[in-house]
Amino acid sequence: MSKEDDDTPASSLQPVHKLTRPDPLHELQLLRDLAIINERTEWELGPRPHQTAPVEPKRKPRLEQIARSSGNEIHECNDMNPTRIAMAATLGLSLSQPALAVEKPASSSRDIPKSVRSVIGNDQVVIAYQAVDSDDGRGKTVALVTRTQTKGPATSDPDYVWKAEFACELVVIDVIEGHATIKGRSRGAVNCDGNNRNKRAGYRELDENLDLSSGMITFKNYSNSTAAGWFSYSFFLNSGKWLVSSAKAEYHFNETDDEGYLVFTTEEASFPKDFGLIPMEDLDPVWMAGTISKHRTKSR
């Protein structure tokens, strides 16, 4: 041991692998690594359920009662190091994913009507579809989400999933006496750029994400990034035109409060309180994200 080592005061030594202060860049890198792992797992084993898993309330275990009922003392297991625990947690997460579903041919009850296909094109993949009777009873109002590839290799390419780029669009169509007319459309309502769930969804796989009623449409984008949750846009019919009604997001970063409960963040904005008349075609998701962020609340 050198003299310099002998002269080092004990108070200056730090425990191994323990930082003196949190490293935000390291934490962001860990979140990014987790997002990549989740993305590859979702591709190999299939998408996660649309709804976020329910959060079980945290309860303090009654160790004394458990010990009495079992008749044995409770001993701490010392052979589980953090590395093994992390590996076990990762394996459990992977095994909990549903198996990759084989897309089944669409049945006749789920086919897109020819009149609707005639206005959206046969090259569009319909990943969500809903239809209701029109208010006047003369026909139907149809809302659907289309996806088309805009860039990248053919589907036979091994790296197709990672290199291909897509554009998605929410389209509203009136069908009267077999004649279809597009009444509104929005690319900003559906995230097909960074959202892998929307990019990889099969034929009508996201029907449950699309809600259509008389004069109201809502599409919900479920997040698959480091923030677990969803965001949605709603539109209402006014004098024959579809306008933005509201935008809402709810998510969490695995942040917990002092009692160990998950902390959820909610952001929301609506017409006319927070913005004026915005045609469906003019929805800007970047501007809207800044608007709803001004109305943020947290709860567990």
Side-chain angles (χ1 to χ4, degrees):
M1 183 178 292
S2 65
K3 186 176 185 304
E4 293 181 357
D5 294 334
D6 293 338
D7 294 339
T8 302
S11 59
S12 66
L13 300 178
Q14 296 294 335
V16 178
H17 303 309
K18 183 175 182 181
L19 299 177
T20 57
R21 59 180 63 87
D23 185 352
L25 295 179
H26 180 62
E27 293 178 356
L28 290 175
Q29 181 62 46
L30 291 177
L31 289 175
R32 176 57 182 163
D33 292 344
L34 178 60
I36 295 174
I37 293 172
N38 287 340
E39 182 177 336
R40 291 187 177 274
T41 302
E42 190 171 319
W43 167 244
E44 294 175 357
L45 302 180
R48 288 173 288 182
H50 295 320
Q51 301 292 343
T52 56
V55 180
E56 294 292 338
K58 182 178 179 181
R59 296 182 174 88
K60 184 177 181 181
R62 299 179 180 179
L63 301 180
E64 296 180 357
Q65 181 177 350
I66 296 174
R68 288 195 303 267
S69 61
S70 62
N72 298 319
E73 294 183 1
I74 297 177
H75 300 281
E76 182 179 1
C77 182
N78 297 320
D79 61 351
M80 287 296 286
N81 57 49
T83 302
R84 293 181 180 176
I85 295 174
M87 291 175 63
T90 304
L91 180 60
L93 175 62
S94 300
L95 294 177
S96 66
Q97 302 293 339
L100 181 61
V102 177
E103 186 174 344
K104 299 179 180 179
S107 62
S108 58
S109 62
R110 290 170 56 83
D111 285 345
I112 304 300
K114 293 182 179 180
S115 58
V116 175
R117 273 292 183 189
S118 67
V119 296
I120 65 172
N122 292 323
D123 60 333
Q124 301 282 347
V125 179
V126 177
I127 59 176
Y129 180 93
Q130 297 291 349
V132 296
D133 293 333
S134 57
D135 292 339
D136 56 14
R138 298 173 53 203
K140 288 186 177 295
T141 298
V142 174
L144 53 85
V145 175
T146 64
R147 184 187 65 221
T148 183
Q149 183 177 346
T150 59
K151 186 178 179 181
T155 55
S156 58
D157 191 301
D159 296 326
Y160 167 76
V161 173
W162 314 108
K163 295 180 179 178
E165 296 181 8
F166 302 90
C168 291
E169 187 174 37
L170 174 62
V171 185
V172 188
I173 301 172
D174 280 351
V175 182
I176 300 177
E177 297 179 353
H179 180 72
T181 305
I182 294 178
K183 306 300 290 186
R185 60 202 317 164
S186 172
R187 285 197 171 184
V190 186
N191 181 2
C192 233
D193 182 17
N195 190 302
N196 291 313
R197 182 166 293 163
N198 293 346
K199 287 169 60 177
R200 300 171 185 167
Y203 175 77
R204 294 190 60 175
E205 187 177 336
L206 303 183
D207 280 5
E208 294 182 357
N209 294 22
L210 180 61
D211 183 69
L212 172 64
S213 59
S214 178
M216 182 67 68
I217 301 172
T218 300
F219 183 76
K220 184 176 289 187
N221 299 266
Y222 285 92
S223 174
N224 62 332
S225 64
T226 55
W230 54 266
F231 63 95
S232 65
Y233 299 103
S234 297
F235 307 89
F236 71 101
L237 185 62
N238 182 34
S239 301
K241 294 184 178 181
W242 287 93
L243 308 172
V244 181
S245 172
S246 63
K248 185 175 182 180
E250 184 177 288
Y251 56 90
H252 70 82
F253 290 97
N254 288 324
E255 175 189 0
T256 57
D257 59 15
D258 295 338
E259 298 181 10
Y261 292 94
L262 277 176
V263 177
F264 288 85
T265 299
T266 302
E267 300 175 346
E268 187 172 12
S270 60
F271 168 85
K273 182 181 65 170
D274 304 306
F275 51 81
L277 291 172
I278 302 177
M280 184 180 190
E281 294 76 5
D282 295 339
L283 171 64
D284 183 349
V286 176
W287 179 87
M288 190 61 74
T291 301
I292 66 175
S293 65
K294 300 176 183 177
H295 308 278
R296 179 180 299 165
T297 59
K298 290 191 175 184
S299 61
R300 68 182 190 182

